[in-house]
């Protein structure tokens, strides 16, 4: 099955190559974001790409950016290809706004070790694994080589963001989270936690990066959670993480996935896209006909005037 593991062209200036997304300067001066099929886990990019993953992430982000325009403007100009977004160039704010509604993940691990205050938010004793909070909480982190918990007061004191701007980011993050939580609840999905990134465009706060995707969020099946909260199925890339943990040898995680695990990961990404949007991924079967994902992408960029036909 064809996948987009790597994209490179001398025609465009590379701005940043991330674990999953590559950013280029478009001829118009805007930012071209290519979402690949690479998958990262435990701070490492695996050798095996996951088919359709990039299109799922790009399509879901576009879906949510469109649905939340009434809450806050965003950086999207248009989708030029299932894996490519043309975006406005904003000045990023180097803070991740993490919104949590359940005790799980890294917060659960800290809680089990006796921690009760997270990024300035104190939670009570006696909470159980995967327990829902009375209301969502915001636990910001810095955007550094290794993200770290930090209080809003220290974010301001260290110069990451002004106090008034942070408060606006906090309010908008909760509005976005509550809106998406209700949407997903109606479709049998629990939005457990997520992160938002913001930027400034002509002095205006806008939403950037991605929003409510399986890579930036944690999802549970509402039916599974109702049966047993502590064993609720995670509808994101946790499936791959658990496989890596189960197959760890000599302290090292596998660098590649088996064909079976890769295919199951693809199925799960396509499933969460359809469950959230109500429709199959438009390109969900493109590769079964022998189409080449990279050739399609280049063709679309040529038609959009971003690249020349070489």
């Amino acid at each position: 099955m064809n996948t987009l593991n790597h994209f490179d062209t001398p025609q465009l200036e590379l701005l940043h190559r991330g674990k999953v997304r590559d950013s280029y300067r478009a001829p118009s001066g805007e930012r071209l974001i290519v979402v690949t099929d690479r998958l990262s886990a435990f701070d490492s990019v695996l050798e095996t790409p996951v088919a359709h993953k990039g299109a799922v992430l790009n399509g879901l982000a576009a879906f949510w950016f469109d649905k939340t325009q009434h809450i806050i403007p965003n950086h999207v100009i248009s989708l030029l290809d299932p894996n490519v977004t043309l975006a406005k160039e904003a000045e990023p704010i180097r803070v991740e706004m993490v919104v949590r509604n359940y005790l799980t993940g890294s917060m659960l691990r800290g809680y089990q070790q006796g921690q009760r205050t997270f990024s300035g938010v104190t939670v009570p004793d006696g909470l159980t694994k995967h327990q829902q909070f009375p209301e969502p909480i915001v636990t910001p982190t810095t955007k550094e080589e290794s993200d770290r918990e930090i209080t809003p007061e220290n974010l301001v004191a260290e110069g990451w963001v002004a106090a008034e701007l942070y408060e606006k980011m906090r309010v908008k993050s909760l509005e976005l989270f509550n809106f998406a939580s209700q949407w997903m609840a109606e479709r049998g999905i629990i939005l457990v936690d997520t992160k938002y990134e913001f930027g400034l465009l002509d002095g205006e706060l806008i939403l950037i990066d991605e929003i409510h995707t399986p890579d930036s969020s944690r999802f549970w099946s509402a039916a599974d959670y109702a049966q047993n909260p502590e064993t609720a199925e995670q509808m994101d890339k946790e499936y791959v993480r658990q496989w890596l943990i189960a197959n760890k040898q000599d302290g090292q995680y596998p660098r590649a996935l088996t064909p079976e695990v890769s295919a199951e990961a693809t199925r799960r990404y396509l499933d969460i896209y359809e469950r959230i949007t109500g429709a199959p991924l438009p390109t969900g079967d493109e590769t079964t006909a022998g189409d080449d994902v990279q050739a399609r992408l280049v063709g679309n960029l040529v038609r959009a005037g971003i690249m020349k036909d070489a």
Side-chain angles (χ1 to χ4, degrees):
M1 185 175 284
N2 288 304
T3 54
L4 185 67
N5 195 31
H6 180 79
F7 176 75
D8 198 11
T9 173
Q11 295 190 38
L12 298 172
E13 176 192 357
L14 177 66
L15 299 175
H16 175 73
R17 193 179 300 284
K19 292 177 181 176
V20 174
R21 288 168 174 76
D22 298 334
S23 293
Y24 296 86
R25 176 72 65 216
S28 61
E30 309 294 355
R31 182 171 289 247
L32 194 74
I33 303 171
V34 179
V35 189
T36 71
D37 294 326
R38 298 192 295 265
L39 190 148
S40 68
F42 303 115
D43 293 324
S44 178
V45 177
L46 301 180
E47 295 173 1
T48 312
V50 173
H52 304 303
K53 175 178 178 289
V56 166
L57 297 183
N58 200 46
L60 267 182
F63 173 85
W64 284 115
F65 279 129
D66 180 64
K67 291 290 182 187
T68 58
Q69 289 185 82
H70 66 289
I71 297 175
I72 184 171
N74 59 70
H75 70 166
V76 174
I77 297 173
S78 63
L79 264 64
L80 302 181
D81 177 85
N83 290 72
V84 181
T85 293
L86 184 65
K88 301 166 189 172
E89 187 65 74
E91 177 189 349
I93 299 169
R94 309 305 295 175
V95 175
E96 280 192 359
M97 301 296 285
V98 181
V99 183
R100 306 174 186 269
N101 202 20
Y102 295 80
L103 182 61
T104 191
S106 60
M107 188 174 181
L108 173 62
R109 291 190 289 273
Y111 189 88
Q112 291 172 333
Q113 295 168 5
Q115 186 178 351
R116 293 294 180 269
T117 300
F118 302 84
S119 298
V121 179
T122 300
V123 295
D125 291 330
L127 298 181
T128 57
K129 180 182 178 181
H130 294 178
Q131 184 171 340
Q132 185 176 10
F133 300 127
E135 57 184 19
I137 62 174
V138 180
T139 56
T141 67
T142 58
K143 285 279 291 177
E144 299 177 85
E145 188 170 329
S146 181
D147 298 349
R148 61 185 169 99
E149 287 185 16
I150 188 168
T151 66
E153 293 76 17
N154 284 341
L155 277 173
V156 174
E158 293 181 19
W160 293 93
V161 65
E164 184 178 350
L165 187 56
Y166 174 82
E167 178 59 16
K168 188 171 183 179
M169 290 164 59
R170 186 189 70 82
V171 169
K172 291 299 180 183
S173 294
L174 289 172
E175 286 184 41
L176 290 165
F177 189 89
N178 290 331
F179 175 82
S181 293
Q182 181 176 344
W183 178 279
M184 293 193 201
E186 294 169 359
R187 289 152 181 82
I189 303 168
I190 294 174
L191 178 57
V192 182
D193 50 43
T194 193
K195 60 98 173 174
Y196 302 106
E197 295 188 34
F198 297 89
L200 292 173
L201 181 64
D202 299 327
E204 181 182 22
L205 186 70
I206 68 169
L207 193 62
I208 63 172
D209 194 57
E210 60 182 325
I211 173 176
H212 304 149
T213 72
D215 276 18
S216 68
S217 313
R218 200 185 313 264
F219 306 124
W220 288 335
S221 160
D224 279 1
Y225 186 83
Q227 287 184 349
N228 187 340
E230 295 197 5
T231 60
E233 177 190 4
Q234 286 194 207
M235 306 167 68
D236 47 50
K237 67 179 180 182
E238 185 64 21
Y239 162 75
V240 174
R241 290 195 195 97
Q242 291 304 318
W243 182 86
L244 293 172
I245 291 170
N247 290 273
K248 194 174 183 180
Q249 292 185 0
D250 301 323
Q252 299 294 317
Y253 297 108
R255 296 288 305 123
L257 305 177
T258 66
E260 294 77 17
V261 171
S262 179
E264 176 61 15
T266 289
R267 187 195 70 78
R268 288 172 179 246
Y269 273 96
L270 291 173
D271 178 65
I272 192 65
Y273 179 94
E274 186 167 354
R275 290 187 64 167
I276 289 175
T277 66
L281 183 73
T283 56
D285 60 356
E286 74 196 7
T287 57
T288 60
D291 294 342
D292 185 284
V293 178
Q294 183 143 304
R296 182 210 67 208
L297 187 157
V298 171
N300 283 332
L301 293 186
V302 169
R303 281 185 283 277
I306 301 294
M307 292 176 60
K308 295 179 181 178
D309 189 354

